[in-house]
């Protein structure tokens, strides 16, 4: 027999909770001292208490729990808990994505009054043959975990086929830079010859186009400033965005991010 205080610590519940479960008949002690009124429990009662706590977390009332306990098997309870676990994990993922969006908005607001003096260039970009791997990034803070392996796979396929890259790799992004959830992008590498491609690495000609371009020096924390400067130039000069934008990684090393150099290109046409 275990004293109520020790049983409460073992089960990670309060003594008050155990007393209440006793009062409503949900979990009776195996013995009550007739002189002191002290309650005693058994380790064998832990499974029932765990079921009570699990069902309570599902939102069942104590009266409903009392009815369900006599009918529910261990497998049924396990299944319910797994469903609940998946539901909670989904909510956590959604809140993490929301937090990432809030942090990005805060950075934008903080940088509004200190926009660097970017030089915007309008130029023609020729068509190029590329190998690319498309990925969908759940939240923007996870981008490195998806982009790095995708580039590794793309370069690995190029080398495996005996081809060579002919210029800096780049990201081909298929939505606005202000989208931070489920971002679709391609890790693109210009190559010197046509390859068969696979179900994962595609090989095709990226059409030539006219772009508004800007070069950003420094870490990605301030990267949206470059995009903002481009959008401002496009609006002020009577153009409109005409396709997916590119981020050309001219110099990019994980151990030297402060000296990164990235060119941003937006296909544009006269509005």
């Amino acid at each position: 027999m275990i004293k109520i205080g020790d049983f409460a610590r073992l089960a990670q519940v309060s003594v008050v909770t155990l007393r209440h479960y006793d009062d409503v008949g949900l979990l009776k002690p195996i013995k009550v001292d007739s002189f002191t009124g002290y309650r005693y429990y058994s380790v064998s009662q832990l499974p029932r208490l765990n079921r009570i706590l699990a069902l309570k977390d599902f939102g069942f009332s104590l009266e409903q729990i009392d009815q369900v306990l006599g009918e529910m098997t261990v497998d049924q309870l396990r299944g319910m808990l797994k469903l609940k676990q998946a539901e909670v994990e989904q909510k956590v993922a959604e809140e993490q994505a929301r937090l990432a969006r809030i942090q990005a908005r805060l950075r934008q607001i903080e940088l509004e009054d200190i926009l660097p003096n970017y030089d915007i260039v309008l130029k023609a970009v020729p068509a190029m043959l590329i190998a690319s791997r498309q990925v969908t990034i759940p939240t923007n803070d996870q981008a490195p975990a998806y982009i790095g392996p995708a580039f590794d796979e793309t370069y690995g396929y190029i080398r495996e086929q005996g081809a060579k890259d002919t210029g800096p790799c780049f990201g081909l992004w298929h939505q606005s830079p202000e989208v931070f959830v489920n971002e679709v992008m391609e890790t693109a590498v210009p190559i010197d010859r046509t390859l068969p491609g696979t179900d994962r690495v595609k090989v095709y000609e990226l059409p030539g186009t006219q772009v508004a371009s800007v070069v950003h020096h420094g870490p990605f924390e301030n990267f949206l400033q470059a995009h903002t400067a481009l959008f401002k130039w496009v609006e002020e000069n009577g153009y409109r965005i005409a396709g997916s934008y590119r981020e050309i990684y001219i110099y990019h090393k994980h151990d030297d991010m402060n000296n990164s150099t990235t060119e941003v290109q937006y296909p544009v046409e006269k509005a």
Side-chain angles (χ1 to χ4, degrees), residues 162-236:
K164 295 181 180 179
D165 58 284
T166 59
C169 63
F170 59 93
L172 188 61
W173 297 81
H174 297 295
Q175 66 282 304
S176 164
E178 294 188 347
V179 174
F180 299 107
V181 179
N182 294 326
E183 299 174 89
V184 178
M185 66 89 66
E186 295 178 56
T187 54
V189 180
I191 55 176
D192 64 346
R193 71 191 70 174
T194 301
L195 300 176
T198 71
D199 59 337
R200 293 171 64 86
V201 178
K202 306 299 181 184
V203 176
Y204 65 95
E205 184 177 83
L206 191 63
T209 186
Q210 177 179 244
V211 301
S213 166
V214 66
V215 175
H216 173 80
H217 299 284
F220 283 101
E221 281 79 3
N222 303 330
F223 198 39
L224 275 177
Q225 291 178 306
H227 289 273
T228 302
L230 269 172
F231 283 138
K232 184 178 179 183
W233 184 93
V234 167
E235 182 179 296
E236 290 176 349

Side-chain angles (χ1 to χ4, degrees), residues 98-111:
R98 184 183 177 198
L99 178 60
R101 293 195 300 271
I102 291 172
Q103 290 171 334
R105 295 297 180 192
L106 281 173
R107 286 197 299 270
Q108 284 182 280
I109 292 170
E110 290 166 356
L111 296 172

Side-chain angles (χ1 to χ4, degrees), residues 68-164:
V68 170
L69 278 177
E71 304 170 0
M72 181 174 290
T73 66
V74 173
D75 287 339
Q76 288 172 327
L77 181 60
R78 186 182 295 115
M80 290 178 65
L81 286 173
K82 285 184 177 180
L83 287 173
K84 186 68 171 179
Q85 180 183 17
E87 179 185 326
V88 171
E89 287 173 347
Q90 177 64 29
K91 288 181 179 177
V92 169
E94 290 172 355
E95 288 303 307
Q96 287 176 334
R98 184 183 177 198
L99 178 60
R101 293 195 300 271
I102 291 172
Q103 290 171 334
R105 295 297 180 192
L106 281 173
R107 286 197 299 270
Q108 284 182 280
I109 292 170
E110 290 166 356
L111 296 172
E112 280 177 355
D113 297 327
I114 53 172
L115 191 65
N117 186 25
Y118 284 107
D119 292 322
I120 312 299
V121 177
L122 188 66
K123 64 182 183 180
V125 176
M128 66 181 77
L129 186 66
I130 64 168
S132 79
R133 169 84 168 92
Q134 182 170 299
V135 292
T136 299
I137 305 169
T139 57
N140 189 259
D141 60 305
Q142 296 175 279
Y146 283 80
I147 294 175
F151 268 123
D152 289 342
E153 184 175 349
T154 306
Y155 274 110
Y157 179 73
I158 293 169
R159 288 192 294 268
E160 180 184 293
Q161 295 296 314
K164 295 181 180 179

Side-chain angles (χ1 to χ4, degrees), residues 245-262:
Y245 70 92
R246 309 174 190 185
E247 291 177 353
I248 294 88
Y249 307 117
I250 299 171
Y251 179 84
H252 185 179
K253 291 186 177 181
H254 292 294
D255 58 353
D256 192 24
M257 293 300 291
N258 287 333
N259 293 314
S260 292
T261 300
T262 309

